[in-house]
Amino acid sequence: MAEKPLRLLACGDVEGKFDVLFNRVRTIQKKSGNFDLLLCVGNFFGSTPDAEWEEYKTGIKKAPIQTYVLGANNQETVKYFQDVDGCELAENITYLGRKGVFTGSSGLQIVYLSGTESLNEPVPGYSFSPKDVFSLRTMLWSTSQFKGVDILLTSPWPKYVGNFGNSSGEVDTKKCGSALISSLATGLKPRYHFAALEKTYYERLPYRNHIILQENAQHATRFIALANVGNPEKKKYLYAFSIVPMKLMDVAELVKQPPDVTENPYRKFVKQASIGKQIPAPEEDSACQFFFDLNEKQGRKRSSTGRDSKSSPHPKQPRKLPQPPGPCWFCLASPEVEKHLVVSVGTHCYLALAKGGLSDDHVLILPIGHYQSVVELSAEVVEEVEQYKATLRRFFKSQGKRCILFERNYKSHHLQLQIAQPGAAYFYVELDTGEKLFHRIKKNFPLQFGREVLASEAILNIPDKSDWRQCQISKEEEETLARHFRKDFEPFDFTLDD
C-alpha cells in the first residue's frame, strides 16, 4: 500500500506581511484542501511597525496552518528570536532555532540553518559559522544508514547553484550565495532545498547526487528559491508540493531520476576545494568515557565504541558530550546519579530503574550526554534509543507483559524518553500497539501526569503509587531489584553482544 504523501507549503521572505501571507494560505486551502505545514525561509520579520505582529502574538489573529520559521538574518530582527534553541512565537507559529534537525511523527526529516554566513569570530547572533555547518553535517553523517534528508531550509542561496542548470536570472550564483551552504547541501543531499533573500523566484532543474557509472544511483535534489511576500512584480513566493518521507519510500522509487536532471552544480567546487579548509572541524575537548562492569561473571569492560576494549589498540576518540548547566540527576557522569540503579549501558544511552518506580521493572531510557528532549538528539543517539525501545518491547512480551513509553518535555532538564516539535513543551506517549499520542503543552501541565494516569484505577489500579516519593525503598532493596532485572534482561541486552 502506497504511503499517503504530506502536503506542504514553502514561503520566501515574509518581511512582516503576515496578513498577506496567511490570507493567501487560506485562499489556497479553501480551493485545494488543507496542507500539513508551512515552512518559511528568509526574513520572517521586516522593518515595518510591530502592530500587525502583535495581533498574532497576543492571539487576536491566528495563523491558519502550523508554521515553522527560520531565525534572524540581520541585527534588527534578532530581538524576535530570544531562544537560540527555538520556541513558539505565537499560536501555530514556531521558530525552529539556530540549527538542527526536525523529525516529524511521519518520519519527515527537515534540516534547518538560520542566518547568513559569517567567517569572523565572534559570530553575530544572526549568522552561522563553519563550525555550525560542520556540526550539522557531522551529526547526520554519524549514522551508517545516512542516505540524505527530505528537506533543507536555509535563508541564503548556495553558491554555484546555477552551474549546469537553467538560468538563475539576474542572480549571479558564482558571486552570490554561501559556499558553506553549497558544501552543506553536497553532504546532506536534500530532496528539496528552499532559500530566499534575493527577492526572486528560481526553480533550478533537479540535479544528481551521484556520479554516473561510478556510484550507485541516488535521489535527485530540487533547489527552489522563493521571492518576497506581496512583491509588486508578482514573483512566486509560495510553493506547494507533496512529499513522502524518504524512510517510507521504496528505494527504486526514491532514486528514480527525473528526465531533466543535470549534473551536481557543486561537484567541481567540492573537488577543487578541500572540505577541511571550507569547513574547519572545531577543536574538541577530551570527552568523558563511561565503563561499567554489568556482567559480573565475565568482568568485561566495554569501550565507548560499544565493542570489547581488547578489539582495537587505537579506539576512536569520542566526541564531546553535551554538558548540563548545573547538577543533573540523569547525566551518567554526574555525582548525583545513583549508579546502582543502572542496568544497561550502550554507546550513547543507558537504561536505569526508576527511583520509586510504579513496578519492579519500571525503567528509564536515558542518553549518556545531557539532552533536554528527543528533538535535540543526534541521529546516532536516536538510533540507539529506538534499539532500546524495540529490545524492551521484546523483553516484556516474553514475560507476558505490555509496556507504555512516555516523555514529558516540560520543566525538565534531561531527556527521560520520546519525540515532537523543536522549541515546544510537549507530552508524548507511545503504546506497544504502535499508536502514538502527542499533546503540545501551552500553559501549565501536571509534572507527574504520565505517572498519575498509569497509577489510576482505570489502568494499573495503584493510586497510592501516583507520587514517586511515596514509593521509595532502601538502597539495599533497589540494588536487589536492579540485580534481578539485569539477570532477566541479559538474554535481550544488545549492549552485551560481541
Side-chain angles (χ1 to χ4, degrees), residues 358 451-466:
L358 282 166
R451 185 184 180 102
E452 290 169 358
V453 170
L454 290 174
S456 67
E457 295 180 2
I459 301 182
L460 294 177
N461 194 22
I462 46 173
D464 56 317
K465 290 193 172 186
S466 60

Short mmCIF file of all heavy atoms in Angstrom, two decimals, residues 358 451-466:
data_model
loop_
_atom_site.label_atom_id
_atom_site.label_comp_id
_atom_site.label_asym_id
_atom_site.label_seq_id
_atom_site.Cartn_x
_atom_site.Cartn_y
_atom_site.Cartn_z
N LEU A 358 6.78 2.61 39.52
CA LEU A 358 5.41 2.10 39.62
C LEU A 358 5.39 0.59 39.79
O LEU A 358 4.45 0.02 40.35
CB LEU A 358 4.63 2.49 38.36
CG LEU A 358 4.14 3.93 38.27
CD1 LEU A 358 3.68 4.26 36.86
CD2 LEU A 358 2.99 4.18 39.25
N ARG A 451 2.61 9.49 35.15
CA ARG A 451 2.60 8.54 36.26
C ARG A 451 1.22 8.45 36.89
O ARG A 451 0.74 7.34 37.21
CB ARG A 451 3.64 8.97 37.29
CG ARG A 451 3.80 7.98 38.43
CD ARG A 451 4.76 8.47 39.48
NE ARG A 451 4.86 7.49 40.54
CZ ARG A 451 5.87 6.64 40.70
NH1 ARG A 451 6.88 6.67 39.87
NH2 ARG A 451 5.88 5.77 41.71
N GLU A 452 0.57 9.59 37.07
CA GLU A 452 -0.75 9.60 37.71
C GLU A 452 -1.78 8.84 36.87
O GLU A 452 -2.63 8.12 37.42
CB GLU A 452 -1.20 11.04 37.93
CG GLU A 452 -0.39 11.76 39.01
CD GLU A 452 -0.67 13.25 39.05
OE1 GLU A 452 -1.47 13.73 38.22
OE2 GLU A 452 -0.07 13.95 39.90
N VAL A 453 -1.71 9.00 35.55
CA VAL A 453 -2.65 8.28 34.68
C VAL A 453 -2.42 6.78 34.76
O VAL A 453 -3.35 5.99 34.88
CB VAL A 453 -2.51 8.77 33.22
CG1 VAL A 453 -3.30 7.87 32.27
CG2 VAL A 453 -3.00 10.21 33.09
N LEU A 454 -1.16 6.35 34.69
CA LEU A 454 -0.85 4.92 34.74
C LEU A 454 -1.23 4.31 36.10
O LEU A 454 -1.66 3.16 36.17
CB LEU A 454 0.63 4.70 34.46
CG LEU A 454 1.09 4.97 33.02
CD1 LEU A 454 2.60 4.84 32.92
CD2 LEU A 454 0.42 4.00 32.05
N ALA A 455 -1.08 5.07 37.16
CA ALA A 455 -1.39 4.56 38.50
C ALA A 455 -2.89 4.56 38.80
O ALA A 455 -3.33 3.92 39.76
CB ALA A 455 -0.67 5.40 39.55
N SER A 456 -3.66 5.22 37.96
CA SER A 456 -5.10 5.37 38.22
C SER A 456 -5.82 4.02 38.22
O SER A 456 -5.33 3.02 37.71
CB SER A 456 -5.73 6.29 37.18
OG SER A 456 -5.71 5.68 35.91
N GLU A 457 -7.04 4.02 38.77
CA GLU A 457 -7.84 2.79 38.85
C GLU A 457 -8.17 2.25 37.46
O GLU A 457 -8.35 1.04 37.29
CB GLU A 457 -9.13 3.07 39.62
CG GLU A 457 -8.89 3.44 41.08
CD GLU A 457 -10.19 3.70 41.82
OE1 GLU A 457 -11.26 3.57 41.19
OE2 GLU A 457 -10.13 4.04 43.02
N ALA A 458 -8.19 3.13 36.45
CA ALA A 458 -8.56 2.69 35.10
C ALA A 458 -7.47 1.86 34.43
O ALA A 458 -7.74 1.11 33.49
CB ALA A 458 -8.88 3.90 34.23
N ILE A 459 -6.21 1.99 34.92
CA ILE A 459 -5.11 1.27 34.25
C ILE A 459 -4.46 0.27 35.22
O ILE A 459 -4.79 -0.90 35.22
CB ILE A 459 -4.09 2.26 33.66
CG1 ILE A 459 -4.79 3.19 32.65
CG2 ILE A 459 -2.96 1.50 32.95
CD1 ILE A 459 -3.88 4.19 31.98
N LEU A 460 -3.51 0.71 36.04
CA LEU A 460 -2.83 -0.22 36.93
C LEU A 460 -3.53 -0.40 38.28
O LEU A 460 -3.22 -1.33 39.03
CB LEU A 460 -1.39 0.26 37.18
CG LEU A 460 -0.45 0.25 35.95
CD1 LEU A 460 0.92 0.82 36.32
CD2 LEU A 460 -0.30 -1.16 35.39
N ASN A 461 -4.42 0.52 38.59
CA ASN A 461 -5.18 0.47 39.84
C ASN A 461 -4.25 0.46 41.07
O ASN A 461 -4.41 -0.34 41.99
CB ASN A 461 -6.11 -0.76 39.87
CG ASN A 461 -7.14 -0.65 40.98
OD1 ASN A 461 -7.45 0.45 41.46
ND2 ASN A 461 -7.68 -1.78 41.41
N ILE A 462 -3.30 1.35 41.05
CA ILE A 462 -2.40 1.52 42.21
C ILE A 462 -2.30 3.02 42.51
O ILE A 462 -1.22 3.61 42.46
CB ILE A 462 -1.01 0.92 41.95
CG1 ILE A 462 -0.48 1.33 40.56
CG2 ILE A 462 -1.01 -0.58 42.10
CD1 ILE A 462 0.97 0.89 40.31
N PRO A 463 -3.43 3.66 42.81
CA PRO A 463 -3.43 5.12 43.01
C PRO A 463 -2.51 5.58 44.12
O PRO A 463 -2.04 6.72 44.11
CB PRO A 463 -4.90 5.43 43.34
CG PRO A 463 -5.48 4.13 43.80
CD PRO A 463 -4.77 3.07 43.03
N ASP A 464 -2.19 4.70 45.07
CA ASP A 464 -1.31 5.08 46.16
C ASP A 464 0.14 5.26 45.70
O ASP A 464 0.97 5.79 46.44
CB ASP A 464 -1.36 4.03 47.27
CG ASP A 464 -1.03 2.64 46.77
OD1 ASP A 464 -1.53 2.28 45.69
OD2 ASP A 464 -0.28 1.92 47.45
N LYS A 465 0.43 4.84 44.45
CA LYS A 465 1.79 4.98 43.91
C LYS A 465 1.91 6.13 42.92
O LYS A 465 2.90 6.23 42.20
CB LYS A 465 2.23 3.68 43.24
CG LYS A 465 2.48 2.54 44.19
CD LYS A 465 3.21 1.39 43.50
CE LYS A 465 3.63 0.34 44.51
NZ LYS A 465 4.45 -0.73 43.87
N SER A 466 0.92 7.01 42.88
CA SER A 466 0.95 8.11 41.91
C SER A 466 2.06 9.11 42.21
O SER A 466 2.52 9.82 41.33
CB SER A 466 -0.40 8.83 41.88
OG SER A 466 -0.70 9.37 43.16
#
